[in-house]
């Protein structure tokens, strides 16, 4: 059996390895090594836990069986999942962390002796507070992630669902969570513990339901952050350094990602969380629907334009993910490069449904990462480029964000696509993006609309090149 | 007067938040998706608590309400650990540099 001090040192080591795992992600070259550090840290933490308990009886075998079952399911999912489904997968994984935190909190509440927290009905006050916070945040993460998962998977409508009195109701529930934690601590009654879990679960559902599909990058990052805080809460209960360090890392990581995503949309965090964006503006734009002339073309026209260009910038968006067009796109770019045309990719921070979504898809299609640029890096290059090829993106290119203070997306950083000599806009129809606003770019002199499925059109263009 | 050990844990927590803040800002935006999947995997170190709960029963009662919750949490967390690290590995393997054969 490992002494408590020695195991604490090992937990610290695994915490440090987790820091190095995140540090590795600062560049793609070091990232694989970082992931290895993460795996090592996890292996150390699990082994040390076994050794410090020192109980290798039947219970140990049962633990291994459950660990193996979970591991096999996890490995199977990891190998089978298509890259386009990453947002759903991450949301699903968040819900599991949340539920695991809830289960550990329940186990600790029912059997506090096992964790040195006192006896049932007489749990140490500090531990009880930490435990209830961990359990509540875990339950919110769980139910919130389930809703996010359903919306991303398309099982539930991606449009925001709002009802009257939503915000007062949420506020009431949040206040009652605090009151119930207080009651739980003063009475130690298990009834309050179950009520706490139930209403935390409920608030998780209510918080995410009103948020629309395109705000999912913020929601996923936020739930990422929550899963970290839940882990930290449990870490305090278990007095485990590895868990406290990890919880803090994950919590701040998710918070930073949410901030970056909000900035990418020029919206405050509360504006996103309060939800309902896109529901009200849609009706407004429907009123002033005027028919404006649009130039539309076919694959032949697009191929002609690009063949005569010397530089092309590609702007991918969620539509590319939906159409699974990343491979077709890369083939088109290969053909362009053979004709000595310079090609680069421009990624808006909120393109897709989660942070970095487009980068992963392009990487999957074997696009070298040094051809892919962030908004700030490439925005000045549009003025010098011949063709901008917008595939499945919309709002992130809308010049209205720079010109019309009345617009709901005014102030949002956008890609200066309109500065290109010509713009190819690959889209299914003229319908507005999720923000429900018309894109001026469609009607510009130098814009050619390509109405088709992104994958099919890209393949046709390649044939015509 | 002795300092409550809670204060030490709180210190670790606060300092880790700061480490997280600076480390995550240095993550390149193109790796934000792997960042989310790897943070997912490491936050499943909560399995430590699940194992303690699972092994808490004595030899004649391996399965009591508390340990069953522990066992379930072990499975959930290990789905995440294996799934999270492997999918991150799979993604990171795809990030390649331009071939310098021109």
């Amino acid at each position: 059996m490992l002494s408590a001090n020695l195991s604490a040192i090992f937990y610290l080591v695994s915490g440090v390895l987790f820091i190095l795992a995140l540090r590795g992600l600062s560049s793609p070259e070091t990232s694989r090594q970082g992931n290895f550090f993460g795996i090592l840290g996890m292996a150390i933490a699990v082994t040390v836990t076994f050794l410090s308990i020192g109980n290798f009886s039947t219970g140990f075998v049962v633990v291994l069986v459950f660990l193996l079952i979970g591991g096999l399911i996890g490995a199977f999912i990891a190998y089978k999942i298509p890259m386009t489904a990453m947002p759903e997968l991450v949301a699903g994984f968040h819900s599991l962390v949340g539920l695991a935190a809830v289960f550990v909190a329940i186990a600790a509440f029912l059997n506090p002796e096992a964790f040195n927290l006192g006896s049932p009905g007489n749990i140490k006050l500090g531990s009880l507070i930490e435990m209830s916070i961990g359990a509540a945040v875990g339950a919110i993460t769980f139910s919130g992630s389930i809703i996010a998962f359903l919306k991303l998977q398309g099982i539930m409508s991606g449009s925001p669902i709002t009802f009257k009195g939503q915000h007062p109701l949420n506020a009431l529930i949040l206040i009652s969570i605090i009151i119930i934690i207080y009651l739980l601590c003063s009475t130690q009654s298990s009834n309050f513990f179950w009520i706490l879990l139930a209403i935390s679960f409920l608030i998780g559902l209510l918080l995410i339901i009103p948020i629309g599909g395109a705000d999912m990058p913020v929601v996923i990052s936020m739930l990422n952050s929550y899963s970290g805080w839940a882990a930290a809460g449990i870490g305090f209960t278990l007095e485990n350094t590895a868990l406290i360090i990890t919880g803090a890392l994950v919590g701040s990581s998710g918070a930073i990602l949410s901030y970056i995503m909000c900035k990418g949309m020029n919206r405050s965090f509360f504006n996103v969380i309060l939800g309902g964006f896109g529901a009200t503006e849609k009706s407004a734009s429907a009123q002033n629907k005027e028919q404006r002339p649009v130039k539309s073309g076919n694959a032949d026209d697009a191929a002609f334009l690009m063949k005569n260009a010397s530089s092309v910038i590609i702007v991918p968006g969620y539509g590319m993910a939906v159409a699974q067009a990343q491979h077709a796109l890369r083939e088109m770019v290969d053909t362009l490069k053979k004709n000595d045309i310079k090609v680069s990719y421009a990624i808006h921070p909120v393109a897709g449904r989660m942070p970095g979504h487009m980068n992963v898809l392009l990487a999957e299609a074997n696009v070298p990462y040094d051809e892919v640029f962030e908004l700030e890096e490439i925005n000045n290059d549009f003025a010098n480029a011949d063709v901008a090829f917008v595939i499945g993106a919309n709002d992130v290119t809308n010049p209205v964000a720079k010109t019309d203070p009345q617009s709901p997306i005014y102030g949002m950083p956008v890609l200066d696509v309109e500065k290109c000599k010509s713009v190819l806009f690959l889209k299914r129809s003229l319908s507005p993006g999720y923000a429900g606003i018309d894109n001026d770019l469609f009607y510009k002199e130098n814009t050619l609309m390509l109405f088709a499925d992104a994958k099919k059109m890209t393949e046709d263009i390649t044939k015509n090149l | 007067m002795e300092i409550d050990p809670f204060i030490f844990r709180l210190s670790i927590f606060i300092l880790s938040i700061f480490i997280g803040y600076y480390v995550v800002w240095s993550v390149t935006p193109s790796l934000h998706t792997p960042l989310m999947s790897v943070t997912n995997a490491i936050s499943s170190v909560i399995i430590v608590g699940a194992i303690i709960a699972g092994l808490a029963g004595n030899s004649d009662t391996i399965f009591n309400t508390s340990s069953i919750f522990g066992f379930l949490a072990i499975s959930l967390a290990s789905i995440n650990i294996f799934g999270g690290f492997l999918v991150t590995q799979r993604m990171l393997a795809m990030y390649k540099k331009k071939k310098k054969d021109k």
Side-chain angles (χ1 to χ4, degrees):
Chain A
M1 201 166 147
L2 225 54
S3 82
N5 283 334
L6 198 57
S7 45
I9 287 173
F10 277 117
Y11 284 134
L12 182 62
V13 170
S14 68
V16 171
L17 285 168
F18 291 151
I19 295 174
L20 293 176
L22 299 193
R23 179 76 190 121
L25 289 172
S26 57
S27 97
E29 285 107 75
T30 53
S31 62
R32 283 171 279 261
Q33 193 192 19
N35 199 40
F36 172 73
F37 283 141
I39 296 172
L40 189 65
M42 188 60 75
I44 292 177
V46 171
T47 316
V48 167
T49 310
F50 281 131
L51 292 177
S52 67
I53 299 172
N55 171 1
F56 293 103
S57 59
T58 348
F60 177 67
V61 180
V62 180
V63 167
L64 281 187
V65 169
F66 276 90
L67 200 137
L68 216 66
I69 294 172
L72 285 175
I73 299 174
F76 179 78
I77 297 173
Y79 280 112
K80 284 284 164 202
I81 194 94
M83 282 299 139
T84 38
M86 273 323 287
E88 293 95 301
L89 179 75
V90 169
F93 278 169
H94 285 155
S95 75
L96 297 183
V97 181
L99 195 59
V102 171
F103 282 177
V104 173
I106 294 177
F109 185 76
L110 295 177
N111 187 4
E113 282 118 334
F115 297 87
N116 293 322
L117 305 175
S119 55
N122 188 22
I123 300 172
K124 280 187 279 181
L125 179 66
S127 309
L128 198 54
I129 297 174
E130 292 153 4
M131 198 188 294
S132 6
I133 293 175
V137 180
I140 294 173
T141 313
F142 171 64
S143 58
S145 302
I146 294 279
I147 298 290
F149 176 81
L150 294 177
K151 286 196 174 201
L152 287 164
Q153 193 61 278
I155 298 170
M156 199 171 155
S157 156
S159 57
I161 299 163
T162 49
F163 55 89
K164 241 187 159 171
Q166 202 161 23
H167 301 322
L169 177 69
N170 288 350
L172 195 73
I173 296 180
L174 285 175
I175 294 168
S176 58
I177 285 182
I178 297 167
I179 295 174
I180 288 172
I181 291 181
Y182 173 76
L183 290 173
L184 173 65
C185 293
S186 53
T187 64
Q188 299 256 353
S189 150
S190 62
N191 288 339
F192 286 116
F193 187 71
W194 301 120
I195 296 173
L196 174 69
L197 287 180
I199 59 169
S200 305
F201 181 78
L202 184 68
I203 188 80
L205 297 179
L206 291 171
L207 276 177
I208 309 301
I209 279 180
I211 305 180
D215 283 340
M216 281 302 148
V218 181
V219 171
I220 293 197
S221 320
M222 185 184 83
L223 291 167
N224 186 239
S225 179
Y226 285 2
S227 68
W229 304 131
I234 303 293
F236 275 101
T237 319
L238 305 182
E239 312 187 341
N240 184 305
T241 344
L243 207 40
I244 294 176
I245 295 177
T246 317
L249 288 178
V250 178
S252 51
S253 158
I256 290 173
L257 288 177
S258 325
Y259 170 79
I260 296 175
M261 294 301 113
C262 287
K263 225 178 102 211
M265 296 193 284
N266 189 38
R267 292 171 59 198
S268 75
F269 184 66
F270 285 102
N271 183 296
V272 175
I273 295 313
L274 293 177
F277 189 72
T280 42
E281 282 84 8
K282 239 169 218 152
S283 50
S285 74
Q287 287 165 3
N288 52 24
K289 222 182 201 166
E290 39 176 323
Q291 288 294 321
R292 285 200 274 171
V294 179
K295 275 200 293 185
S296 79
N298 56 29
D300 211 14
D301 305 330
F304 177 79
L305 262 173
M306 282 201 266
K307 232 190 304 190
N308 291 308
S310 62
S311 68
V312 174
I313 299 179
I314 293 171
V315 181
Y318 184 54
M320 181 186 82
V322 175
Q324 305 254 18
Q326 65 271 29
H327 297 282
L329 180 68
R330 213 268 330 230
E331 277 162 31
M332 186 188 90
V333 170
D334 283 350
T335 321
L336 288 174
K337 279 194 205 152
K338 266 183 218 146
N339 294 323
D340 277 332
I341 299 164
K342 187 175 166 274
V343 186
S344 36
Y345 300 80
I347 313 274
H348 191 276
V350 293
R353 286 292 185 264
M354 75 184 295
H357 191 186
M358 292 298 122
N359 303 79
V360 171
L361 293 183
L362 292 177
E364 189 202 7
N366 279 321
V367 172
Y369 61 81
D370 37 10
E371 284 174 16
V372 183
F373 298 94
E374 303 301 315
L375 178 120
E376 300 87 32
E377 297 171 318
I378 201 168
N379 225 5
N380 292 329
D381 297 352
F382 280 106
N384 303 321
D386 297 311
V387 177
F389 185 73
V390 183
I391 172 167
N394 184 2
D395 290 334
V396 298
T397 63
N398 198 340
V400 126
K402 289 176 284 191
T403 52
D404 178 12
Q406 302 299 316
S407 165
I409 61 166
Y410 181 70
M412 167 171 138
V414 286
L415 292 159
D416 295 334
V417 173
E418 78 280 0
K419 288 189 181 151
C420 269
K421 288 201 190 77
S422 45
V423 180
L424 290 170
F425 223 110
L426 179 42
K427 209 169 171 304
R428 283 180 163 278
S429 68
L430 262 189
S431 62
Y434 97 97
I437 36 175
D438 227 2
N439 193 338
D440 268 352
L441 212 53
F442 298 165
Y443 314 105
K444 283 250 156 90
E445 192 65 25
N446 56 356
T447 303
L448 188 68
M449 301 296 295
L450 307 167
F451 295 114
D453 174 75
K455 189 176 173 188
K456 193 165 174 308
M457 177 56 90
T458 317
E459 284 166 353
D460 287 349
I461 294 175
T462 315
K463 275 183 214 144
N464 281 303
L465 275 169
Chain B
M1 225 175 88
E2 233 182 289
I3 299 170
D4 190 318
F6 170 79
I7 302 299
F8 288 117
R9 287 192 284 275
L10 188 68
S11 318
I12 295 174
F13 180 63
I14 303 288
L15 292 175
S16 302
I17 291 178
F18 277 91
I19 294 173
Y21 179 86
Y22 288 107
V23 169
V24 172
W25 270 118
S26 74
V27 171
T28 160
S30 67
L31 291 177
H32 275 162
T33 300
L35 171 68
M36 298 200 90
S37 60
V38 86
T39 49
N40 227 314
I42 63 172
S43 58
S44 301
V45 71
I46 202 157
I47 196 169
V48 166
I51 294 172
I52 298 174
L55 289 179
N58 48 38
S59 49
D60 38 85
T61 55
I62 297 166
F63 293 100
N64 57 45
T65 333
S66 164
S67 71
I68 287 172
F69 275 111
F71 291 137
L72 292 177
I74 289 172
S75 279
L76 293 175
S78 56
I79 292 179
N80 243 326
I81 292 172
F82 284 80
F85 280 126
L86 289 174
V87 89
T88 310
Q89 187 109 323
R90 212 182 121 198
M91 275 192 276
L92 293 176
M94 298 184 314
Y95 282 81
K96 290 184 197 93
K97 235 186 166 140
K98 201 171 357 192
K99 276 191 221 109
K100 293 222 167 80
D101 53 4
K102 263 191 179 174

